[in-house]
Amino acid sequence: MANRLWDKGGAADAAMLRFTARDDYVLDENLLVYDVAASAAHARGLARIGALEAGEADAIVAALATLRAEIEAGHFGLSSDHEDGHTAIELWLTDRLGDLGKKVHLGRSRNDQVLVAMRLYERAELADLAELAAAAAKSCLDLATREASTVMPGYTHLQRAVPQTVGHWAAGFAEGFIESGRILLGARDACDASPLGAAAGYGVNLPLDREGVAHELGFGRVALNPLWSQTSRGMTEVVALSAVWHAVALARRLAWDLSLFTTAEFGFVRLPVELTTGSSIMPNKRNPDIVELTRASCSVVEGALVELMSLSSLPSGYHRDLQLTKGPTMRAFAEARGILSAAIQVVGGLELVRDRMKDAVTEDTLATDRAVELARSGLPFREAYRKVAAEVGSSEQPAGERAEASVRARTSLGAAGNLGLDRLSASLERLREEISRSATSA
Ligand code: ARG
């Protein structure tokens, strides 16, 4: 039997086949279990409209359950002989069930088959990444709680600006990661529409039970118009990766800060030895490679996003170009897992050099507080500003106790003296509830 579903006799050029199949047989390993689930739902749907006998659908579903177990046990793999995973599954079914295996493709195309598998895969990945974003938020929140009153300078333009606390710095990242989690769940929702039944992008002459199939697969809705379902491929992935970008760009900022703070020049934090690497020539070095690669990995996600945007420039209908949306999507998800896991590890392991941070809060950084105080006692703010500017100079004397007093006085909600960590904990709790709700509807 030919290894291509579209074989109708006549030889296909081997180099052309390699060029067009590319690494689908590798990438589709990630989609097999989802394709199996969607194939079973499709077969049951066909039986409901009388396009398959009930017994036939049962036999297909039972065979697919066996196949799923084989996939999970690692006994079913794809090889370069298979054009893609969909082909491998249909050939396996035909091998096992004979002519019945050849019936499963009635009413669908590989175009909606790959769409549905990708969406199921993306929903799961995005929910997992939302969970990792929540875990990153938790580690930042824990640090903020432990170090709520540890003073350090706050910077603008990378110049010392006003005093802040480690708690203030870390709570900012916690809030950001909670936002990332919400955005990731929003992107999951964009993937939560079932394309099955779109077939090649124009529907088929069967009264397919699209809603029943969508429901069985846990989708929130049907992607109604077949042509839109088809042409959303690529655009959906751009949405997914934009959400991923939010989380990894935040991790990159964290990494940037830490790559500065770990230098001898700042000397604010140290990484534990087990999170550092060495140099092959300089015996003195302990390098923060984990921080640097967290920063760099974000570029991989951005590159993938640009690939997807560019691939989404197509006229209506299916085009084989769309096959290339799989690689960047999967690459970005894998990178994001790595980035967020590394960020969690780094935040959990940070060793703070509190005296060094406190000494870096210099007298001059109290200037804004002083201008505000003068204005509170009646001077118009602009005059207070000028008066302090004339007095302040560039004193690099440590502010000492006055640093702590400065942050304690910053009492409006969210600022260093009133971080609102209980509110952040409550938001994190709500995010976690939403994540588990989305997992149970999968
Ligand atoms: N591997 C293909 C893809 O990802 C499957 C769909 C093939 N469809 C087609 N009309 N050739 O797009």
Side-chain angles (χ1 to χ4, degrees):
M1 148 110 45
N3 265 347
R4 287 175 301 282
L5 300 176
W6 44 268
D7 186 62
K8 10 187 197 294
D13 182 78
M16 182 280 289
L17 287 177
R18 268 196 311 280
F19 177 71
T20 53
R22 298 183 173 235
D23 54 354
D24 255 19
Y25 70 96
V26 179
L27 300 176
D28 283 6
E29 296 269 356
N30 292 318
L31 301 181
L32 289 174
V33 290
Y34 301 111
D35 199 343
V36 163
S39 296
H42 176 67
R44 284 202 196 91
L46 288 179
R48 282 197 294 279
I49 61 165
L52 277 181
E53 305 284 336
E56 290 180 321
D58 288 346
I60 290 172
V61 170
L64 287 167
T66 306
L67 178 55
R68 189 186 171 110
E70 288 200 12
I71 294 165
E72 281 169 353
H75 297 149
F76 180 84
L78 301 176
S79 80
S80 54
D81 294 344
H82 296 119
E83 188 176 31
D84 54 30
H86 322 297
T87 304
I89 290 174
E90 188 171 318
L91 294 180
W92 186 91
L93 278 176
T94 304
D95 203 38
R96 198 166 175 102
L97 302 175
D99 279 351
L100 182 53
K102 300 180 193 166
K103 291 190 174 187
V104 73
H105 207 57
L106 171 65
R108 74 175 180 187
S109 152
R110 273 185 303 168
N111 297 355
D112 61 341
Q113 194 178 353
V114 63
L115 267 172
V116 72
M118 278 301 282
R119 289 201 177 180
L120 290 170
Y121 162 76
E122 286 157 0
R123 274 192 341 182
E125 290 287 312
L126 289 165
D128 280 3
L129 288 176
E131 220 165 286
L132 269 176
K138 176 78 170 89
S139 59
C140 293
L141 193 55
D142 288 346
L143 176 62
T145 308
R146 285 196 305 273
E147 307 293 338
S149 50
T150 306
V151 292
M152 67 181 283
Y155 296 85
T156 69
H157 312 267
L158 276 181
Q159 312 289 322
R160 288 173 189 160
V162 284
Q164 65 166 344
T165 57
V166 174
H168 181 254
W169 175 81
F173 283 103
E175 190 169 350
F177 281 124
I178 292 170
E179 189 68 15
S180 300
R182 286 200 202 104
I183 291 171
L184 285 160
L185 287 184
R188 181 194 178 281
D189 185 62
C191 300
D192 199 26
S194 174
L196 263 188
Y202 299 93
V204 283
N205 48 339
L206 286 172
L208 293 173
D209 177 15
R210 298 193 68 200
E211 285 186 308
V213 169
H215 181 75
E216 185 175 335
L217 291 171
F219 280 107
R221 60 194 185 279
V222 166
L224 193 61
N225 180 285
L227 192 53
W228 161 241
S229 307
Q230 179 55 65
T231 50
S232 65
R233 190 168 176 202
M235 294 178 86
T236 308
E237 283 70 20
V238 168
V239 170
L241 263 60
S242 303
V244 170
W245 179 85
H246 189 278
V248 299
L250 192 59
R252 174 171 61 184
R253 179 168 307 132
L254 179 76
W256 246 127
D257 284 359
L258 293 176
S259 88
L260 292 169
F261 294 167
T262 48
T263 59
E265 284 68 19
F266 277 86
F268 291 174
V269 297
R270 278 192 292 263
L271 291 179
V273 174
E274 65 273 18
L275 292 186
T276 61
T277 59
S279 155
S280 62
I281 180 172
M282 298 170 282
N284 53 319
K285 294 304 294 291
R286 284 202 193 282
N287 294 325
D289 294 16
I290 186 171
V291 165
E292 290 159 354
L293 285 164
T294 299
R295 181 170 62 199
S297 295
C298 187
S299 303
V300 177
V301 173
E302 286 173 356
L305 190 49
V306 171
E307 273 181 74
L308 289 171
M309 285 174 171
S310 170
L311 284 166
S312 300
S313 168
L314 286 171
S316 289
Y318 175 83
H319 306 275
R320 191 69 181 268
D321 309 50
L322 291 168
Q323 178 174 299
L324 299 201
T325 59
K326 277 191 281 198
T329 305
M330 292 174 177
R331 196 186 322 129
F333 285 146
E335 281 294 330
R337 278 175 191 270
I339 298 171
L340 292 177
S341 306
I344 292 165
Q345 224 185 342
V346 165
V347 171
L350 282 183
E351 294 165 6
L352 306 185
V353 190
R354 296 181 186 79
D355 290 346
R356 191 67 200 201
M357 287 191 275
K358 186 170 176 183
D359 287 348
V361 180
T362 45
E363 289 276 354
D364 54 326
T365 64
L366 301 176
T368 307
D369 288 356
R370 177 83 189 119
V372 170
E373 277 158 17
L374 286 175
R376 279 294 301 268
S377 52
L379 206 57
F381 179 76
R382 191 53 55 214
E383 279 173 36
Y385 173 98
R386 293 213 175 95
K387 186 168 156 51
V388 176
E391 289 166 9
V392 71
S394 59
S395 167
E396 300 220 334
Q397 283 303 310
E401 296 310 303
R402 294 211 285 147
E404 271 121 17
S406 164
V407 293
R408 265 200 311 275
R410 217 104 19 92
T411 53
S412 52
L413 184 58
N418 182 13
L419 288 173
L421 298 182
D422 47 343
R423 292 183 188 229
L424 282 184
S425 298
S427 308
L428 181 56
E429 202 38 51
R430 277 196 299 280
L431 172 65
R432 289 206 153 124
E433 281 162 19
E434 266 179 65
I435 295 170
S436 48
R437 258 200 306 281
S438 77
T440 49
S441 71

